Amino acid sequence: QKEVEQNSGPLSVPEGAIASLNCTYSDRGSQSFFWYRQYSGKSPELIMSIYSNGDKEDGRFTAQLNKASQYVSLLIRDSQPSDSATYLCAVRHNTDKLIFGTGTRLQVFP
Amino acid sequence: EAGVVQSPRYKIIEKKQPVAFWCNPISGHNTLYWYRQNLGQGPELLIRYENEEAVDDSQLPKDRFSAERLKGVDSTLKIQPAELGDSAVYLCASSPAGGYHEQYFGPGTRLTVT
């Protein structure tokens, strides 16, 4: 079992729709969770962090965390073609190491 | 605020040659990380520095990789000799302190070993 698992996609959604990206993790002791966006040929860009169970909203982005289910998700409202990228889920391991998933590729079509 | 700076952005070398990458973290960030990202994968940590001290180098292939962070600011990652399998993007990241904080990545160095 991978420590951080994501569906590789691609996830295709129409412009204006809600994109839902999911991530599961294996280390029950994990405390910090991050979402990074990575455009093709570019480096990861931090877009959200979440530390407590529940929802955290920032503009069109909402991160959701459920520690009991070891599940974290990212919702993107009103998706735009410019949101097309790979979204990396990252989990801070109990050794302080940040473990990344392989990413989900999102495609937003006009 | 200036972001993490890395150089070079691209490097092509022949196998068995040495190569070095340089990183300047965000001003005031005590923690510096070197990651390697292979195509279609997430970044994987090679080494983490707290100021000048390497606090996690468990994933660094020490037979050919070395790193240093003199004076607790800039850092250099070296590979000698390079192998074909070292072709990847090498990313530097920094955070204010420790692994508890958000990490910010530089643009990366794309290494191609032929």
Side-chain angles (χ1 to χ4, degrees), chain B residues 30-107:
Chain B
N30 299 325
T31 308
L32 183 146
Y33 313 78
W34 282 104
Y35 287 88
R36 175 168 59 188
Q37 186 175 24
N38 291 306
L39 192 63
Q41 302 295 315
E44 294 180 324
L45 181 69
L46 292 174
I47 189 167
R48 170 165 70 104
Y49 281 95
E50 294 285 348
N51 299 303
E52 300 92 349
E53 182 182 0
V55 296
D56 184 355
D57 63 356
S58 58
Q59 299 295 102
L60 191 71
K62 298 182 183 61
D63 57 336
R64 297 184 299 107
F65 286 64
S66 64
E68 61 181 11
R69 191 183 183 196
L70 301 177
K71 301 182 181 178
V73 181
D74 296 3
S75 178
T76 301
L77 177 69
K78 297 178 182 177
I79 308 175
Q80 183 172 8
E83 296 179 352
L84 294 177
D86 296 330
S87 295
V89 176
Y90 290 83
L91 295 161
C92 179
S94 69
S95 68
Y100 292 86
H101 293 265
E102 299 158 345
Q103 298 180 21
Y104 298 90
F105 285 87

Side-chain angles (χ1 to χ4, degrees), chain A residues 16-59:
Chain A
I18 296 175
S20 177
L21 304 158
N22 305 315
C23 171
T24 58
Y25 59 94
S26 61
D27 179 13
R28 240 176 221 289
S30 298
Q31 295 295 321
S32 308
F33 307 86
F34 307 90
W35 284 98
Y36 285 82
R37 177 176 62 199
Q38 187 169 29
Y39 291 113
S40 180
K42 302 295 186 183
S43 62
E45 173 192 8
L46 180 67
I47 53 173
M48 289 287 288
S49 60
I50 187 166
Y51 305 96
S52 305
N53 277 330
D55 295 0
K56 179 181 178 183
E57 187 175 317
D58 183 1

Side-chain angles (χ1 to χ4, degrees), chain A residues 82-101:
Chain A
S82 58
D83 295 325
S84 298
T86 296
Y87 289 80
L88 298 165
C89 172
V91 176
R92 183 174 68 79
H93 197 258
N94 59 10
T95 61
D96 287 347
K97 183 181 298 185
L98 201 58
I99 306 295
F100 285 83

